[in-house]
């Protein structure tokens, strides 16, 4: 096989190899350091993880984090605009569409319908707020057999759960940024 067909096969093989390497790298665990990036599924932007005072363990010149480095404002900075409440309202609206309307709702007058619609819009817009992360848990899926200041080391696969329902994950371990 030569020419253009051979090049196409070679490029396809290279793409498959690159995909496999990327998948393997994504599954590899790494330690998290000061300056790592996090994101919440309901947040509008990534935010940095902060260690105000080192635990005494460094990796690539940066302080490592542990399981308890999850305090709002101190360790976990705001992740933009929170849409957790908005998502709940959207789910409610979708459920209402899928359910049969009750007899009384189907005969509601035009003015009542408009007022109900305005109330829905008001609820939806008031539920989009500035991120105020509220931890429900300490970091989960940490490295149990490696301790940083007596607590389990934080990994790039660790995550937090916010009281508003969001899952906070680590986008970048911070080692090279």
């Amino acid at each position: 096989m030569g020419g253009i067909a051979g090049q196409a096969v070679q490029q396809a093989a290279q793409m498959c190899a690159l995909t496999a390497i990327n998948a393997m790298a994504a599954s590899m665990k790494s330690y998290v350091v000061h300056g790592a990036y996090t994101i919440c599924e309901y947040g509008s932007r990534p935010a940095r993880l902060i260690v105000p005072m080192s635990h005494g363990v460094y990796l690539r010149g940066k302080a490592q984090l542990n399981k308890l480095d999850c305090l709002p404002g101190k360790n976990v900075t705001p992740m933009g605009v929170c849409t957790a409440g908005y998502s709940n309202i959207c789910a409610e609206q979708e459920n209402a569409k899928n359910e049969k309307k009750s007899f009384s709702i189907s005969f509601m007058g035009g003015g009542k319908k408009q007022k109900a619609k305005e109330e829905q819009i008001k609820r939806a817009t008031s539920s989009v707020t500035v991120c105020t992360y509220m931890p429900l848990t300490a970091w989960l899926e940490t490295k149990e057999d490696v301790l940083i200041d007596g607590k389990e080391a934080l990994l790039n696969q660790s995550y937090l759960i916010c009281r508003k329902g969001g899952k906070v994950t680590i986008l970048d371990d911070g080692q090279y940024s």
Side-chain angles (χ1 to χ4, degrees), residues 140-169:
L140 302 168
E141 299 294 324
T142 53
K143 183 77 169 150
E144 296 175 5
D145 58 346
V146 175
L147 302 180
I148 306 297
D149 200 15
K151 314 298 182 296
E152 298 170 13
L154 196 60
L155 296 171
N156 63 331
Q157 296 178 342
S158 300
Y159 63 93
L160 292 166
I161 302 296
C162 177
R163 289 186 197 281
K164 295 179 183 179
K167 181 178 179 181
V168 178
T169 57

PDB file of all heavy atoms in Angstrom, residues 140-169:
ATOM      1  N   LEU A 140     -13.618  13.871  48.502  1.00  0.00           N
ATOM      2  CA  LEU A 140     -13.829  12.423  48.393  1.00  0.00           C
ATOM      3  C   LEU A 140     -12.861  11.848  47.359  1.00  0.00           C
ATOM      4  O   LEU A 140     -12.376  12.582  46.501  1.00  0.00           O
ATOM      5  CB  LEU A 140     -15.270  12.133  47.985  1.00  0.00           C
ATOM      6  CG  LEU A 140     -16.329  12.688  48.939  1.00  0.00           C
ATOM      7  CD1 LEU A 140     -17.714  12.601  48.317  1.00  0.00           C
ATOM      8  CD2 LEU A 140     -16.293  11.949  50.263  1.00  0.00           C
ATOM      9  N   GLU A 141     -12.621  10.545  47.409  1.00  0.00           N
ATOM     10  CA  GLU A 141     -11.701   9.850  46.491  1.00  0.00           C
ATOM     11  C   GLU A 141     -10.275  10.399  46.611  1.00  0.00           C
ATOM     12  O   GLU A 141      -9.645  10.744  45.617  1.00  0.00           O
ATOM     13  CB  GLU A 141     -12.186   9.950  45.031  1.00  0.00           C
ATOM     14  CG  GLU A 141     -13.539   9.338  44.781  1.00  0.00           C
ATOM     15  CD  GLU A 141     -13.587   7.830  44.958  1.00  0.00           C
ATOM     16  OE1 GLU A 141     -12.603   7.156  44.615  1.00  0.00           O
ATOM     17  OE2 GLU A 141     -14.605   7.348  45.460  1.00  0.00           O
ATOM     18  N   THR A 142      -9.783  10.473  47.838  1.00  0.00           N
ATOM     19  CA  THR A 142      -8.431  10.965  48.104  1.00  0.00           C
ATOM     20  C   THR A 142      -7.459   9.779  48.212  1.00  0.00           C
ATOM     21  O   THR A 142      -7.874   8.628  48.216  1.00  0.00           O
ATOM     22  CB  THR A 142      -8.415  11.786  49.405  1.00  0.00           C
ATOM     23  OG1 THR A 142      -8.991  10.995  50.450  1.00  0.00           O
ATOM     24  CG2 THR A 142      -9.209  13.071  49.257  1.00  0.00           C
ATOM     25  N   LYS A 143      -6.175  10.078  48.322  1.00  0.00           N
ATOM     26  CA  LYS A 143      -5.138   9.045  48.428  1.00  0.00           C
ATOM     27  C   LYS A 143      -4.979   8.688  49.902  1.00  0.00           C
ATOM     28  O   LYS A 143      -4.326   9.384  50.668  1.00  0.00           O
ATOM     29  CB  LYS A 143      -3.819   9.563  47.831  1.00  0.00           C
ATOM     30  CG  LYS A 143      -2.695   8.577  47.822  1.00  0.00           C
ATOM     31  CD  LYS A 143      -2.864   7.581  46.709  1.00  0.00           C
ATOM     32  CE  LYS A 143      -1.569   6.779  46.568  1.00  0.00           C
ATOM     33  NZ  LYS A 143      -1.798   5.442  46.096  1.00  0.00           N
ATOM     34  N   GLU A 144      -5.595   7.582  50.302  1.00  0.00           N
ATOM     35  CA  GLU A 144      -5.667   7.199  51.712  1.00  0.00           C
ATOM     36  C   GLU A 144      -4.322   6.840  52.331  1.00  0.00           C
ATOM     37  O   GLU A 144      -4.125   7.035  53.527  1.00  0.00           O
ATOM     38  CB  GLU A 144      -6.641   6.034  51.880  1.00  0.00           C
ATOM     39  CG  GLU A 144      -8.062   6.397  51.516  1.00  0.00           C
ATOM     40  CD  GLU A 144      -9.014   5.217  51.553  1.00  0.00           C
ATOM     41  OE1 GLU A 144      -8.605   4.111  51.959  1.00  0.00           O
ATOM     42  OE2 GLU A 144     -10.179   5.404  51.177  1.00  0.00           O
ATOM     43  N   ASP A 145      -3.408   6.323  51.531  1.00  0.00           N
ATOM     44  CA  ASP A 145      -2.136   5.861  52.096  1.00  0.00           C
ATOM     45  C   ASP A 145      -1.008   6.888  52.003  1.00  0.00           C
ATOM     46  O   ASP A 145       0.135   6.594  52.334  1.00  0.00           O
ATOM     47  CB  ASP A 145      -1.709   4.530  51.452  1.00  0.00           C
ATOM     48  CG  ASP A 145      -1.556   4.615  49.945  1.00  0.00           C
ATOM     49  OD1 ASP A 145      -2.035   5.608  49.349  1.00  0.00           O
ATOM     50  OD2 ASP A 145      -0.965   3.690  49.363  1.00  0.00           O
ATOM     51  N   VAL A 146      -1.327   8.113  51.562  1.00  0.00           N
ATOM     52  CA  VAL A 146      -0.348   9.202  51.543  1.00  0.00           C
ATOM     53  C   VAL A 146      -0.940  10.356  52.330  1.00  0.00           C
ATOM     54  O   VAL A 146      -2.003  10.867  51.979  1.00  0.00           O
ATOM     55  CB  VAL A 146      -0.012   9.641  50.097  1.00  0.00           C
ATOM     56  CG1 VAL A 146       0.906  10.852  50.106  1.00  0.00           C
ATOM     57  CG2 VAL A 146       0.612   8.494  49.320  1.00  0.00           C
ATOM     58  N   LEU A 147      -0.264  10.739  53.399  1.00  0.00           N
ATOM     59  CA  LEU A 147      -0.789  11.788  54.274  1.00  0.00           C
ATOM     60  C   LEU A 147      -0.028  13.095  54.096  1.00  0.00           C
ATOM     61  O   LEU A 147       1.199  13.109  54.024  1.00  0.00           O
ATOM     62  CB  LEU A 147      -0.730  11.337  55.728  1.00  0.00           C
ATOM     63  CG  LEU A 147      -1.488  10.044  56.061  1.00  0.00           C
ATOM     64  CD1 LEU A 147      -1.356   9.718  57.539  1.00  0.00           C
ATOM     65  CD2 LEU A 147      -2.947  10.131  55.653  1.00  0.00           C
ATOM     66  N   ILE A 148      -0.782  14.183  54.050  1.00  0.00           N
ATOM     67  CA  ILE A 148      -0.246  15.540  53.988  1.00  0.00           C
ATOM     68  C   ILE A 148      -0.725  16.225  55.258  1.00  0.00           C
ATOM     69  O   ILE A 148      -1.920  16.422  55.437  1.00  0.00           O
ATOM     70  CB  ILE A 148      -0.757  16.303  52.736  1.00  0.00           C
ATOM     71  CG1 ILE A 148      -0.489  15.526  51.440  1.00  0.00           C
ATOM     72  CG2 ILE A 148      -0.193  17.710  52.689  1.00  0.00           C
ATOM     73  CD1 ILE A 148       0.971  15.303  51.129  1.00  0.00           C
ATOM     74  N   ASP A 149       0.200  16.518  56.153  1.00  0.00           N
ATOM     75  CA  ASP A 149      -0.139  17.120  57.438  1.00  0.00           C
ATOM     76  C   ASP A 149      -1.151  16.253  58.202  1.00  0.00           C
ATOM     77  O   ASP A 149      -2.103  16.745  58.809  1.00  0.00           O
ATOM     78  CB  ASP A 149      -0.668  18.539  57.235  1.00  0.00           C
ATOM     79  CG  ASP A 149      -0.597  19.390  58.501  1.00  0.00           C
ATOM     80  OD1 ASP A 149       0.106  18.999  59.457  1.00  0.00           O
ATOM     81  OD2 ASP A 149      -1.259  20.449  58.520  1.00  0.00           O
ATOM     82  N   GLY A 150      -0.980  14.929  58.106  1.00  0.00           N
ATOM     83  CA  GLY A 150      -1.825  13.994  58.821  1.00  0.00           C
ATOM     84  C   GLY A 150      -3.165  13.679  58.166  1.00  0.00           C
ATOM     85  O   GLY A 150      -3.963  12.916  58.703  1.00  0.00           O
ATOM     86  N   LYS A 151      -3.441  14.273  57.008  1.00  0.00           N
ATOM     87  CA  LYS A 151      -4.712  14.050  56.303  1.00  0.00           C
ATOM     88  C   LYS A 151      -4.414  13.450  54.929  1.00  0.00           C
ATOM     89  O   LYS A 151      -3.351  13.658  54.368  1.00  0.00           O
ATOM     90  CB  LYS A 151      -5.480  15.363  56.097  1.00  0.00           C
ATOM     91  CG  LYS A 151      -5.580  16.290  57.293  1.00  0.00           C
ATOM     92  CD  LYS A 151      -6.297  15.701  58.469  1.00  0.00           C
ATOM     93  CE  LYS A 151      -6.431  16.642  59.634  1.00  0.00           C
ATOM     94  NZ  LYS A 151      -5.227  17.076  60.289  1.00  0.00           N
ATOM     95  N   GLU A 152      -5.392  12.734  54.379  1.00  0.00           N
ATOM     96  CA  GLU A 152      -5.233  12.096  53.076  1.00  0.00           C
ATOM     97  C   GLU A 152      -4.915  13.117  51.986  1.00  0.00           C
ATOM     98  O   GLU A 152      -5.497  14.194  51.946  1.00  0.00           O
ATOM     99  CB  GLU A 152      -6.512  11.339  52.709  1.00  0.00           C
ATOM    100  CG  GLU A 152      -6.835  10.228  53.680  1.00  0.00           C
ATOM    101  CD  GLU A 152      -8.217   9.636  53.480  1.00  0.00           C
ATOM    102  OE1 GLU A 152      -8.862   9.898  52.448  1.00  0.00           O
ATOM    103  OE2 GLU A 152      -8.655   8.893  54.379  1.00  0.00           O
ATOM    104  N   ALA A 153      -3.977  12.751  51.090  1.00  0.00           N
ATOM    105  CA  ALA A 153      -3.571  13.635  49.997  1.00  0.00           C
ATOM    106  C   ALA A 153      -4.691  13.784  48.969  1.00  0.00           C
ATOM    107  O   ALA A 153      -5.435  12.852  48.695  1.00  0.00           O
ATOM    108  CB  ALA A 153      -2.316  13.087  49.329  1.00  0.00           C
ATOM    109  N   LEU A 154      -4.778  14.968  48.389  1.00  0.00           N
ATOM    110  CA  LEU A 154      -5.778  15.262  47.375  1.00  0.00           C
ATOM    111  C   LEU A 154      -5.270  14.806  46.008  1.00  0.00           C
ATOM    112  O   LEU A 154      -4.110  15.012  45.677  1.00  0.00           O
ATOM    113  CB  LEU A 154      -6.047  16.764  47.354  1.00  0.00           C
ATOM    114  CG  LEU A 154      -7.294  17.245  46.646  1.00  0.00           C
ATOM    115  CD1 LEU A 154      -8.540  16.641  47.270  1.00  0.00           C
ATOM    116  CD2 LEU A 154      -7.370  18.753  46.691  1.00  0.00           C
ATOM    117  N   LEU A 155      -6.161  14.178  45.224  1.00  0.00           N
ATOM    118  CA  LEU A 155      -5.826  13.684  43.885  1.00  0.00           C
ATOM    119  C   LEU A 155      -6.635  14.426  42.822  1.00  0.00           C
ATOM    120  O   LEU A 155      -7.697  14.980  43.118  1.00  0.00           O
ATOM    121  CB  LEU A 155      -6.123  12.186  43.775  1.00  0.00           C
ATOM    122  CG  LEU A 155      -5.324  11.263  44.668  1.00  0.00           C
ATOM    123  CD1 LEU A 155      -5.876   9.846  44.606  1.00  0.00           C
ATOM    124  CD2 LEU A 155      -3.854  11.279  44.256  1.00  0.00           C
ATOM    125  N   ASN A 156      -6.158  14.374  41.586  1.00  0.00           N
ATOM    126  CA  ASN A 156      -6.879  15.022  40.489  1.00  0.00           C
ATOM    127  C   ASN A 156      -8.244  14.385  40.239  1.00  0.00           C
ATOM    128  O   ASN A 156      -9.081  14.961  39.560  1.00  0.00           O
ATOM    129  CB  ASN A 156      -6.050  15.002  39.208  1.00  0.00           C
ATOM    130  CG  ASN A 156      -5.768  13.607  38.703  1.00  0.00           C
ATOM    131  OD1 ASN A 156      -5.698  12.645  39.474  1.00  0.00           O
ATOM    132  ND2 ASN A 156      -5.582  13.475  37.407  1.00  0.00           N
ATOM    133  N   GLN A 157      -8.493  13.209  40.789  1.00  0.00           N
ATOM    134  CA  GLN A 157      -9.790  12.550  40.631  1.00  0.00           C
ATOM    135  C   GLN A 157     -10.691  12.749  41.854  1.00  0.00           C
ATOM    136  O   GLN A 157     -11.803  12.225  41.895  1.00  0.00           O
ATOM    137  CB  GLN A 157      -9.586  11.068  40.344  1.00  0.00           C
ATOM    138  CG  GLN A 157      -8.878  10.858  39.025  1.00  0.00           C
ATOM    139  CD  GLN A 157      -8.608   9.409  38.713  1.00  0.00           C
ATOM    140  OE1 GLN A 157      -8.630   8.548  39.582  1.00  0.00           O
ATOM    141  NE2 GLN A 157      -8.342   9.135  37.450  1.00  0.00           N
ATOM    142  N   SER A 158     -10.223  13.521  42.831  1.00  0.00           N
ATOM    143  CA  SER A 158     -11.032  13.822  44.016  1.00  0.00           C
ATOM    144  C   SER A 158     -12.157  14.783  43.621  1.00  0.00           C
ATOM    145  O   SER A 158     -12.069  15.476  42.618  1.00  0.00           O
ATOM    146  CB  SER A 158     -10.166  14.464  45.096  1.00  0.00           C
ATOM    147  OG  SER A 158      -9.116  13.608  45.473  1.00  0.00           O
ATOM    148  N   TYR A 159     -13.197  14.820  44.435  1.00  0.00           N
ATOM    149  CA  TYR A 159     -14.305  15.729  44.164  1.00  0.00           C
ATOM    150  C   TYR A 159     -15.005  16.119  45.462  1.00  0.00           C
ATOM    151  O   TYR A 159     -14.843  15.475  46.483  1.00  0.00           O
ATOM    152  CB  TYR A 159     -15.306  15.114  43.177  1.00  0.00           C
ATOM    153  CG  TYR A 159     -15.984  13.864  43.677  1.00  0.00           C
ATOM    154  CD1 TYR A 159     -17.211  13.922  44.339  1.00  0.00           C
ATOM    155  CD2 TYR A 159     -15.399  12.608  43.502  1.00  0.00           C
ATOM    156  CE1 TYR A 159     -17.832  12.773  44.803  1.00  0.00           C
ATOM    157  CE2 TYR A 159     -16.009  11.459  43.960  1.00  0.00           C
ATOM    158  CZ  TYR A 159     -17.227  11.548  44.612  1.00  0.00           C
ATOM    159  OH  TYR A 159     -17.834  10.415  45.070  1.00  0.00           O
ATOM    160  N   LEU A 160     -15.775  17.206  45.381  1.00  0.00           N
ATOM    161  CA  LEU A 160     -16.570  17.722  46.497  1.00  0.00           C
ATOM    162  C   LEU A 160     -18.037  17.739  46.102  1.00  0.00           C
ATOM    163  O   LEU A 160     -18.361  17.813  44.920  1.00  0.00           O
ATOM    164  CB  LEU A 160     -16.173  19.167  46.813  1.00  0.00           C
ATOM    165  CG  LEU A 160     -14.806  19.437  47.391  1.00  0.00           C
ATOM    166  CD1 LEU A 160     -14.489  20.921  47.319  1.00  0.00           C
ATOM    167  CD2 LEU A 160     -14.736  18.946  48.818  1.00  0.00           C
ATOM    168  N   ILE A 161     -18.903  17.718  47.096  1.00  0.00           N
ATOM    169  CA  ILE A 161     -20.335  17.876  46.859  1.00  0.00           C
ATOM    170  C   ILE A 161     -20.782  19.154  47.581  1.00  0.00           C
ATOM    171  O   ILE A 161     -20.490  19.343  48.756  1.00  0.00           O
ATOM    172  CB  ILE A 161     -21.139  16.670  47.401  1.00  0.00           C
ATOM    173  CG1 ILE A 161     -20.667  15.365  46.765  1.00  0.00           C
ATOM    174  CG2 ILE A 161     -22.634  16.889  47.184  1.00  0.00           C
ATOM    175  CD1 ILE A 161     -20.883  15.258  45.275  1.00  0.00           C
ATOM    176  N   CYS A 162     -21.458  20.012  46.849  1.00  0.00           N
ATOM    177  CA  CYS A 162     -21.974  21.266  47.398  1.00  0.00           C
ATOM    178  C   CYS A 162     -23.401  21.036  47.895  1.00  0.00           C
ATOM    179  O   CYS A 162     -24.143  20.239  47.326  1.00  0.00           O
ATOM    180  CB  CYS A 162     -21.959  22.337  46.305  1.00  0.00           C
ATOM    181  SG  CYS A 162     -22.655  23.919  46.821  1.00  0.00           S
ATOM    182  N   ARG A 163     -23.777  21.744  48.939  1.00  0.00           N
ATOM    183  CA  ARG A 163     -25.140  21.637  49.473  1.00  0.00           C
ATOM    184  C   ARG A 163     -26.200  22.007  48.439  1.00  0.00           C
ATOM    185  O   ARG A 163     -27.356  21.597  48.545  1.00  0.00           O
ATOM    186  CB  ARG A 163     -25.307  22.538  50.696  1.00  0.00           C
ATOM    187  CG  ARG A 163     -24.566  22.057  51.907  1.00  0.00           C
ATOM    188  CD  ARG A 163     -24.885  22.924  53.131  1.00  0.00           C
ATOM    189  NE  ARG A 163     -23.909  22.729  54.174  1.00  0.00           N
ATOM    190  CZ  ARG A 163     -23.894  21.691  55.004  1.00  0.00           C
ATOM    191  NH1 ARG A 163     -24.808  20.765  54.894  1.00  0.00           N
ATOM    192  NH2 ARG A 163     -22.960  21.581  55.927  1.00  0.00           N
ATOM    193  N   LYS A 164     -25.818  22.785  47.442  1.00  0.00           N
ATOM    194  CA  LYS A 164     -26.764  23.181  46.400  1.00  0.00           C
ATOM    195  C   LYS A 164     -26.941  22.077  45.362  1.00  0.00           C
ATOM    196  O   LYS A 164     -27.732  22.230  44.441  1.00  0.00           O
ATOM    197  CB  LYS A 164     -26.287  24.456  45.722  1.00  0.00           C
ATOM    198  CG  LYS A 164     -26.267  25.643  46.662  1.00  0.00           C
ATOM    199  CD  LYS A 164     -25.758  26.863  45.951  1.00  0.00           C
ATOM    200  CE  LYS A 164     -25.671  28.040  46.889  1.00  0.00           C
ATOM    201  NZ  LYS A 164     -25.152  29.223  46.202  1.00  0.00           N
ATOM    202  N   GLY A 165     -26.172  20.992  45.490  1.00  0.00           N
ATOM    203  CA  GLY A 165     -26.338  19.861  44.585  1.00  0.00           C
ATOM    204  C   GLY A 165     -25.235  19.685  43.567  1.00  0.00           C
ATOM    205  O   GLY A 165     -25.211  18.695  42.850  1.00  0.00           O
ATOM    206  N   GLY A 166     -24.332  20.624  43.464  1.00  0.00           N
ATOM    207  CA  GLY A 166     -23.274  20.542  42.469  1.00  0.00           C
ATOM    208  C   GLY A 166     -22.122  19.630  42.873  1.00  0.00           C
ATOM    209  O   GLY A 166     -21.857  19.430  44.050  1.00  0.00           O
ATOM    210  N   LYS A 167     -21.458  19.091  41.879  1.00  0.00           N
ATOM    211  CA  LYS A 167     -20.259  18.281  42.090  1.00  0.00           C
ATOM    212  C   LYS A 167     -19.075  19.105  41.603  1.00  0.00           C
ATOM    213  O   LYS A 167     -19.026  19.520  40.449  1.00  0.00           O
ATOM    214  CB  LYS A 167     -20.360  16.966  41.300  1.00  0.00           C
ATOM    215  CG  LYS A 167     -19.160  16.069  41.479  1.00  0.00           C
ATOM    216  CD  LYS A 167     -19.352  14.762  40.710  1.00  0.00           C
ATOM    217  CE  LYS A 167     -18.146  13.860  40.855  1.00  0.00           C
ATOM    218  NZ  LYS A 167     -18.312  12.599  40.090  1.00  0.00           N
ATOM    219  N   VAL A 168     -18.123  19.348  42.508  1.00  0.00           N
ATOM    220  CA  VAL A 168     -16.936  20.124  42.194  1.00  0.00           C
ATOM    221  C   VAL A 168     -15.804  19.156  41.872  1.00  0.00           C
ATOM    222  O   VAL A 168     -15.455  18.319  42.700  1.00  0.00           O
ATOM    223  CB  VAL A 168     -16.534  21.046  43.377  1.00  0.00           C
ATOM    224  CG1 VAL A 168     -15.263  21.811  43.063  1.00  0.00           C
ATOM    225  CG2 VAL A 168     -17.678  21.988  43.722  1.00  0.00           C
ATOM    226  N   THR A 169     -15.256  19.271  40.672  1.00  0.00           N
ATOM    227  CA  THR A 169     -14.168  18.397  40.240  1.00  0.00           C
ATOM    228  C   THR A 169     -12.914  19.200  39.948  1.00  0.00           C
ATOM    229  O   THR A 169     -12.969  20.418  39.816  1.00  0.00           O
ATOM    230  CB  THR A 169     -14.569  17.598  38.980  1.00  0.00           C
ATOM    231  OG1 THR A 169     -14.947  18.521  37.954  1.00  0.00           O
ATOM    232  CG2 THR A 169     -15.716  16.649  39.267  1.00  0.00           C
TER     233      THR A 169
END
